[in-house]
Amino acid sequence: MDKIRILGNHDLQLKGKVKISGAKNAVLPAIAASLLTREKIRLKNVPLVKDVFTILTLMKELGAEYHIKKNSLSVQIKKIRFEEASYELVRAMRASILVLGPLLARHGKAVVALPGGCAIGSRPIDLHIHGLEKLGALINLEHGYIQAEARRLHGKEIEFDKKTVGGTENLVMAASLAQGETILKNCSLEPEVANLCELLVKMGAKIDGIGQETIQIKGVEELGGATHEIIPDRIEAGTFLVAGALTRGNFTLSHMQPDHLDTVIEKLRYSGAKIERLNNHTLRVIGSPQIRPQDVTTSPYPGFPTDMQAQFIVLMTQAGGRSIITETIFDRRFSHINELLRLGASVEVFGDKAIVKGKTLLSGAETIAIDLRASASLVLAGLIASGETIINEVEHLDRGYEKIEEKLKSLGAPIQRIKDEEKG
Ligand code: EPZ
């Protein structure tokens, strides 16, 4: 497995410009949506990250043909050849669950492995299953698989007990081909959900309330092909903004969508970073030598994203004082803290809270990453830790960040990837 090596220092200053890639969490449901039609779906601004190739492997097993050229992808399933998403694939990527709704809607049958737990918590899928049952699906859970059948789904009013991004996406896709009208209440407001709805409308779906908590879908007989642009990755952009705030950097981020990051920008400005909007798709970040501590609580969009929690903790290790970071979305999303402690951070965890004491000068060490955003936080910490930091098992990082070490290197970071000798 590849490693990343960083020769960080306390005075590193990142400068230059970085181009933000398309959003992993928008392209995955968009690829799953191609199951809903026998025509071709063309996606632009696709990030070439590991999770994209994982879901394309699954789609190929289901009968898809696809073609990638640079950051454009075309995918087409003329006929569903197979209806099972194996445990091996679902274990590799929980978002495989997003094929459940579209498979049921188009093909009437789906067998999807239960995702099980992962590094950031239990992550059940009860809300997906209850929602699909309300649309008329017959679902059995046995031998670690979801066995689902539905001759024809029918519209229903459904209210989610809690906000679920994947649950909202699965139900919107399933309802698009159901008979009659579906009203979904307490939907997630994440921009990736709206981006998916916009694709479905281009395919012929009848959806009102895009970007709202209540979404109405009038089912249609069939959906057609479409061409669609994937929105920029707000979490990649947020990660680079933190890198700028951490390193007293001065650089621009282009091809992004600043208004998807209001809460993160607000918190970073409060911490002392200067963030200037150069135009609708470009920000400049200028880090400050003094970083102000502050308490942050993660919450569903438009609140502070849980996917930015690990990165923000690293920033607070450099703040002059104590910060309390509360994680309300996942029940075990502090795995990065043990590794940060090895770099010299001072963080204590009490339940859903991490108490961060700053400023602590970090020193480089060998570390291991066990989930995507935890890996990102180790890279950030390595930039400002004195000496060498090695991050093992970077395939976690590669799941959601396109060429992150090349992008950081172009900003002046002393970072390199060490290829796994076995792979050659
Ligand atoms: C999406 O995961 C994102 N992944 C996650 O990003 C992100 O952290 C999360 O939304 C934020 O809510 C993708 O979009 C591919 P949820 P998802 O359903 O859909 C509970 C990253 O790093 N829940 O919104 O799986 C669940 O346990 C990843 O890019 C149920 O209880 O998350 C969690 O506590 C990590 N029952 C909360 O809801 C269900 O049926 C939010 O989960 C579904 C979810």
Side-chain angles (χ1 to χ4, degrees):
M1 293 182 194
D2 292 0
K3 298 183 168 109
I4 277 191
R5 179 168 178 267
I6 307 172
L7 270 177
N9 69 74
H10 299 149
D11 304 321
L12 179 69
Q13 295 188 339
L14 299 180
K15 294 195 182 316
K17 57 186 179 182
V18 65
K19 180 176 177 294
I20 299 301
S21 301
K24 161 181 87 80
N25 291 349
V27 72
L28 295 177
I31 292 171
S34 62
L35 281 162
L36 292 165
T37 176
R38 63 173 63 84
E39 293 178 25
K40 190 173 284 190
I41 299 293
R42 290 179 177 81
L43 300 174
K44 294 181 181 160
N45 198 34
V46 171
L48 300 182
V49 294
K50 194 160 175 276
D51 275 8
V52 165
F53 295 102
T54 302
I55 198 167
L56 287 172
T57 304
L58 169 54
M59 298 296 286
K60 199 167 167 65
E61 284 187 9
L62 302 176
E65 289 167 5
Y66 67 85
H67 180 71
I68 291 186
K69 189 171 175 213
K70 292 209 178 95
N71 291 92
S72 292
L73 164 71
S74 65
V75 54
Q76 184 171 18
I77 303 101
K78 291 176 185 150
K79 188 172 177 345
I80 305 277
R81 192 162 49 85
F82 189 52
E83 65 251 358
E84 181 175 320
S86 70
Y87 177 56
E88 184 197 357
L89 276 167
V90 174
R91 193 161 56 91
M93 186 187 64
R94 171 193 159 72
S96 308
I97 191 71
L98 292 171
V99 304
L100 178 60
L103 257 183
L104 258 183
R106 158 108 182 262
H107 183 61
K109 192 169 174 5
V111 179
V112 178
L114 281 162
C118 75
I120 60 178
S122 51
R123 300 187 77 180
I125 49 157
D126 54 314
L127 301 173
H128 298 240
I129 289 171
H130 295 158
L132 291 168
E133 285 177 329
K134 286 180 184 153
L135 295 185
L138 300 173
I139 296 184
N140 276 319
L141 304 184
E142 52 192 9
H143 311 304
Y145 276 79
I146 305 159
Q147 320 264 351
E149 290 199 23
R151 227 189 348 281
R152 176 81 196 267
L153 295 173
H154 52 71
K156 194 83 180 175
E157 181 165 318
I158 297 168
E159 179 153 3
F160 290 109
D161 296 346
K162 66 193 295 190
K163 287 210 179 328
T164 161
V165 172
T168 303
E169 291 167 342
N170 242 331
L171 268 293
V172 169
M173 290 191 280
S176 297
L177 286 178
Q179 196 148 28
E181 182 178 48
T182 298
I183 297 179
L184 298 178
K185 294 187 168 181
N186 197 23
C187 294
S188 288
L189 299 173
E190 272 70 2
E192 293 78 24
V193 175
N195 197 224
L196 170 67
C197 292
E198 283 149 12
L199 164 60
L200 293 169
V201 166
K202 287 178 188 170
M203 293 165 66
K206 302 220 177 315
I207 302 176
D208 283 317
I210 295 179
Q212 311 293 320
E213 284 195 341
T214 299
I215 299 178
Q216 297 96 2
I217 306 111
K218 287 192 176 67
V220 294
E221 286 304 308
E222 65 175 10
L223 292 170
T227 297
H228 186 59
E229 175 109 6
I230 297 299
I231 54 171
D233 194 315
R234 60 192 167 96
I235 305 301
E236 183 195 22
T239 305
F240 275 98
L241 286 174
V242 170
L246 259 182
T247 62
R248 297 209 309 284
N250 184 337
F251 59 87
T252 60
L253 296 83
S254 66
H255 298 79
M256 65 169 289
Q257 202 132 0
D259 49 14
H260 288 166
L261 278 162
D262 288 347
T263 317
V264 172
I265 291 169
E266 179 199 325
K267 293 293 179 188
L268 289 174
R269 281 179 173 149
Y270 181 84
S271 76
K274 267 177 75 181
I275 297 177
E276 296 159 5
R277 189 181 184 121
L278 305 185
N279 61 46
N280 282 345
H281 298 289
T282 312
L283 288 181
R284 174 177 292 282
V285 58
I286 302 172
S288 149
Q290 267 75 41
I291 296 171
R292 193 183 315 172
Q294 64 185 297
D295 298 347
V296 168
T297 299
T298 65
S299 63
Y301 195 90
F304 191 89
T306 173
D307 294 347
M308 282 299 302
Q309 176 254 104
Q311 299 91 312
F312 202 78
I313 281 187
V314 176
L315 182 64
M316 290 298 105
T317 68
Q318 303 308 301
R322 190 185 79 155
S323 307
I324 300 175
I325 313 294
T326 306
E327 171 57 61
T328 69
I329 306 290
F330 290 107
D331 55 7
R332 260 199 339 270
R333 196 173 197 172
F334 287 136
S335 70
H336 41 290
I337 289 173
N338 287 335
E339 293 303 298
L340 293 176
L341 294 178
R342 300 185 57 247
L343 297 173
S346 169
V347 188
E348 286 185 89
V349 174
F350 300 95
D352 64 354
K353 290 180 180 4
I355 320 284
V356 187
K357 287 199 183 71
K359 174 170 183 169
T360 50
L361 292 182
L362 305 182
S363 61
E366 180 149 13
T367 64
I368 188 160
I370 61 169
D371 91 70
L372 167 57
R373 307 304 171 182
S375 323
S377 74
L378 291 176
V379 170
L380 292 172
L383 294 175
I384 47 131
S386 62
E388 181 183 75
T389 294
I390 298 280
I391 301 161
N392 289 298
E393 304 196 6
V394 286
E395 76 281 357
H396 293 289
L397 201 54
D398 297 337
R399 290 191 49 183
Y401 288 94
E402 187 177 15
K403 302 185 187 128
I404 189 168
E405 79 274 3
E406 289 176 28
K407 292 186 178 185
L408 282 168
K409 196 182 289 182
S410 72
L411 291 173
I415 185 170
Q416 66 181 119
R417 177 180 289 258
I418 303 168
K419 283 273 177 214
D420 180 341
E421 307 79 56
E422 279 89 64
K423 272 196 309 189

